[in-house]
Amino acid sequence: MNKTNSKISIIGAGNVGSTFAYALMLSGAAREIVLVDRDRKRAEGECMDLNHGMSFTRPARIYASGYEGCAGADIVVITAGAKQKPGQSRLELVQKNADIFKEIIPEVIRYAKDAILLVVTNPVDVLTYATIKISGFSPNRVLGSGTVLDSSRLRFLISQHCHVDPRNVHAYIIGEHGDSELPVWSLASIGGMVLSEYCPLCDERCDYLKTLGGIFAEVKNAAYKIIDAKGATYYAVALALVRIVEAILRDENSVLPVSSLIEGYYGIDDVCLSVPALVNRKGIVRALRLKLSEKEREQFQGSAKKLQEIIDQVKW
Ligand code: NAD
């Protein structure tokens, strides 16, 4: 089903929510975009600003609302909450944003019983798990933006180093969207060649293992660096969200490393984290069973354990 009258409600009209609304407006993917924020004046100001550009884009109805604006939404995208302060880890935010979600999610589902819920607020994996539990929705209808952004950062940096179009670089960051995430180097490829075959034949003649290590360190520290420089990250995540939303609305069966409820995956159960998953109009169809190297498997299990410990610490 490819609907032409799609409605997206965005909870949180801050940096991420309003930049996503802008990117979504430019994409033309939604016919109706609603901004909900406890700071109603801010949401109204953002909508005015967006609407004043409408003569340059495809028409859409964009307005601020209370939670009743979630009624009939195809997807509710949740970006509300406190954001990381310089030097603060995503997990340090957890209790504060978990408390905000206890308020928000019951309000959202009161109006949007049939929607897909896309969680963006950090720590995104823990809050995706919380959203499944609080909403009681089937886990396939609740997903987090996960490592879609991190994987895009990885593909960009590889593409820059290797002088290859990022669209021809296939590489995934999996696990937590945060400090314990890991790159799946064993399966990363350019033009169908895994890097361990591609790199020794390439003209760059770099010490590729060292180079890849440096690239991953840059990916992992990217949010800290950007927050230190300008206070928040929002452009790339907004584009990542448009990509996820389009995959859902257009029933694309896209493979995206979104955060989803994992069951029986390398011995991991009952935690949300990112692995490449098939995404379509129903939400998450299934997580792909990657053949990880032994080291990657251990790191992935470590990432899941860390998230499970955080989930256990939060007062729900
Ligand atoms: P922001 O402070 O600019 O915006 C947050 C908005 O949420 C504010 O407008 C605030 O009024 C609103 N809000 C807070 N509590 C609310 C409530 N109870 N009900 C309704 N609205 C409420 O922050 P931001 O830069 O937009 O970041 C938002 C979140 O997105 C943060 O948690 C940040 O860490 C996260 N983020 C995630 C990713 C990702 O890849 N998952 C990337 C960037 C940022």
Side-chain angles (χ1 to χ4, degrees):
M1 189 209 333
N2 184 1
K3 278 180 67 178
T4 52
N5 59 346
S6 308
K7 173 173 178 177
I8 308 294
S9 300
I10 304 170
I11 316 298
N15 293 306
V16 174
S18 54
T19 311
F20 168 53
Y22 178 60
L24 188 63
M25 173 185 174
L26 294 183
S27 78
R31 194 70 184 78
E32 197 170 335
I33 302 171
V34 188
L35 283 178
V36 179
D37 198 293
R38 70 172 172 202
D39 182 349
R40 179 74 177 244
K41 195 172 163 195
R42 162 108 197 225
E44 280 170 359
E46 295 292 358
C47 289
M48 278 176 77
D49 201 2
L50 291 165
N51 277 319
H52 296 168
M54 195 73 78
S55 63
F56 308 115
T57 63
R58 280 190 275 170
R61 196 171 157 237
I62 303 179
Y63 57 97
S65 170
Y67 283 95
E68 65 280 7
C70 296
D74 295 279
I75 308 173
V76 179
V77 181
I78 306 160
T79 74
K83 63 172 182 249
Q84 272 170 283
K85 298 198 175 74
Q88 188 182 37
S89 82
R90 293 181 182 97
L91 290 176
E92 282 165 349
L93 277 179
V94 69
Q95 190 63 53
K96 198 167 182 188
N97 283 340
D99 290 340
I100 291 176
F101 269 49
K102 281 188 250 172
E103 277 173 40
I104 291 178
I105 304 301
E107 287 298 316
V108 168
I109 64 168
R110 216 170 115 199
Y111 294 100
K113 288 189 175 47
D114 300 319
I116 287 176
L117 307 181
L118 172 56
V119 178
V120 189
T121 309
N122 277 318
V124 68
D125 303 291
V126 176
L127 294 176
T128 303
Y129 184 86
T131 302
I132 293 170
K133 297 294 162 192
I134 300 168
S135 66
F137 278 19
S138 155
N140 74 296
R141 281 209 285 138
V142 182
L143 62 159
S145 56
T147 54
V148 176
L149 170 61
D150 317 58
S151 299
S152 174
R153 286 175 174 149
L154 184 71
R155 293 170 69 188
F156 166 72
L157 290 170
I158 295 172
S159 81
Q160 289 291 103
H161 178 79
C162 303
H163 305 291
V164 175
D165 184 336
R167 292 170 301 181
N168 299 121
V169 177
H170 290 279
Y172 292 101
I173 299 276
I174 62 169
E176 175 201 357
H177 168 62
D179 296 337
S180 70
E181 66 188 19
L182 61 135
V184 188
W185 290 130
S186 66
L187 300 174
S189 65
I190 294 177
M193 293 173 81
V194 289
L195 294 186
S196 58
E197 287 170 3
Y198 182 92
C199 293
L201 299 176
C202 156
D203 292 339
E204 298 290 328
R205 301 267 170 248
C206 71
D207 177 348
Y208 73 91
L209 291 178
K210 200 168 155 202
T211 303
L212 297 180
I215 285 177
F216 175 56
E218 239 187 278
V219 170
K220 210 163 124 171
N221 292 323
Y224 293 116
K225 248 175 142 171
I226 298 169
I227 290 168
D228 184 51
K230 58 173 231 171
T233 74
Y234 37 90
Y235 293 122
V237 68
L239 291 169
L241 295 174
V242 171
R243 177 73 190 90
I244 299 168
V245 161
E246 284 188 341
I248 296 170
L249 294 177
R250 291 165 43 82
D251 201 19
E252 288 182 345
N253 287 315
S254 301
V255 175
L256 294 167
V258 287
S259 188
S260 65
L261 187 71
I262 297 298
E263 299 287 353
Y265 198 108
Y266 285 113
I268 298 163
D269 285 304
D270 200 34
V271 66
C272 288
L273 44 61
S274 293
V275 287
L278 212 59
V279 177
N280 70 16
R281 192 66 190 79
K282 296 193 179 83
I284 304 269
V285 182
R286 67 190 149 87
L288 303 191
R289 305 271 145 176
L290 297 184
K291 195 168 174 215
L292 301 175
S293 71
E294 200 178 321
K295 187 173 161 219
E296 289 161 351
R297 177 173 46 77
E298 278 169 16
Q299 278 181 277
F300 181 64
Q301 287 166 331
S303 187
K305 189 162 175 268
K306 179 181 165 192
L307 284 166
Q308 247 145 2
E309 283 168 5
I310 304 288
I311 289 170
D312 291 344
Q313 280 166 29
V314 176
K315 294 186 194 75
W316 298 110

